[in-house]
Amino acid sequence: MKESIKGPKVENVAVAIVQSVVEGELSYYAYLISSRDDIMEGIIIASTGYGENTQTGETIRTSTLRHTIEVLLPNEAAKIEPIMPEVFGLSNEYWVSFWVDGVMYDKRFVFPAESILESNMSMIKPLGLPGIIIK
């Protein structure tokens, strides 16, 4: 029964955190990347960070931000939001929902705590920038 309520599998979609220099300062941005052959429409992205303060054991949760992208063409990327290095110690989640040909898809992309590090970055080819990608 649970299988019947699951939506279709999301393929050829990724979220990347990339590093770039803006006005001489190092900045980080989240991007949605499509490697699909079809058009994604009505895209909604909810982003949040969560974790635990290692010193106090207190649960930490950031505000949930919601973003919309009307259309993402085949093999296209779109900037979602800037991300501050202060939240790299948290797990950063991007829940992406979209429509293709009248069918709704959704997938959760999670960057584990402490995974957004320069030492983990590689070149993200569609963007031409260094970063970390979750497929």
Side-chain angles (χ1 to χ4, degrees), residues 18-29 31 79 82 129:
V18 298
Q19 183 183 71
S20 63
V21 177
V22 177
E23 297 178 11
E25 302 238 352
L26 200 54
S27 299
Y28 297 87
Y29 293 91
Y31 278 84
K79 190 182 288 185
L129 295 167

Side-chain angles (χ1 to χ4, degrees), residues 4-71:
S4 66
I5 60 173
K6 281 187 176 181
K9 184 177 180 182
V10 174
E11 296 180 315
N12 302 319
V13 175
V15 174
I17 305 294
V18 298
Q19 183 183 71
S20 63
V21 177
V22 177
E23 297 178 11
E25 302 238 352
L26 200 54
S27 299
Y28 297 87
Y29 293 91
Y31 278 84
L32 178 63
I33 302 171
S34 170
S35 302
R36 298 176 65 93
D37 294 327
D38 47 25
I39 297 172
M40 298 167 58
E41 298 179 290
I43 304 162
I44 299 172
I45 304 159
S47 64
T48 191
Y50 53 86
E52 186 176 287
N53 182 321
T54 55
Q55 295 175 356
T56 65
E58 179 184 358
T59 300
I60 300 170
R61 187 166 195 92
T62 67
S63 297
T64 298
L65 301 176
R66 290 173 180 80
H67 309 276
T68 59
I69 301 168
E70 286 187 37
V71 173

Side-chain angles (χ1 to χ4, degrees), residues 41 114 119:
E41 298 179 290
E114 303 295 344
S119 59

Side-chain angles (χ1 to χ4, degrees), residues 16-19 117-125 128-133:
I17 305 294
V18 298
Q19 183 183 71
L117 302 169
E118 250 185 271
S119 59
N120 293 339
M121 292 185 182
S122 59
M123 188 59 65
I124 308 298
K125 289 183 184 177
L129 295 167
I132 298 168
I133 192 165

Side-chain angles (χ1 to χ4, degrees), residues 48-121:
T48 191
Y50 53 86
E52 186 176 287
N53 182 321
T54 55
Q55 295 175 356
T56 65
E58 179 184 358
T59 300
I60 300 170
R61 187 166 195 92
T62 67
S63 297
T64 298
L65 301 176
R66 290 173 180 80
H67 309 276
T68 59
I69 301 168
E70 286 187 37
V71 173
L72 196 59
L73 299 175
N75 300 304
E76 190 175 55
K79 190 182 288 185
I80 300 170
E81 66 182 4
I83 182 168
M84 308 309 279
E86 291 81 15
V87 299
F88 291 173
L90 302 174
S91 292
N92 288 279
E93 175 183 291
Y94 293 85
W95 195 297
V96 179
S97 300
F98 60 94
W99 294 85
V100 173
D101 296 328
V103 177
M104 185 179 180
Y105 294 77
D106 71 338
K107 184 173 179 178
R108 210 172 124 224
F109 298 87
V110 179
F111 293 86
E114 303 295 344
S115 66
I116 306 171
L117 302 169
E118 250 185 271
S119 59
N120 293 339
M121 292 185 182

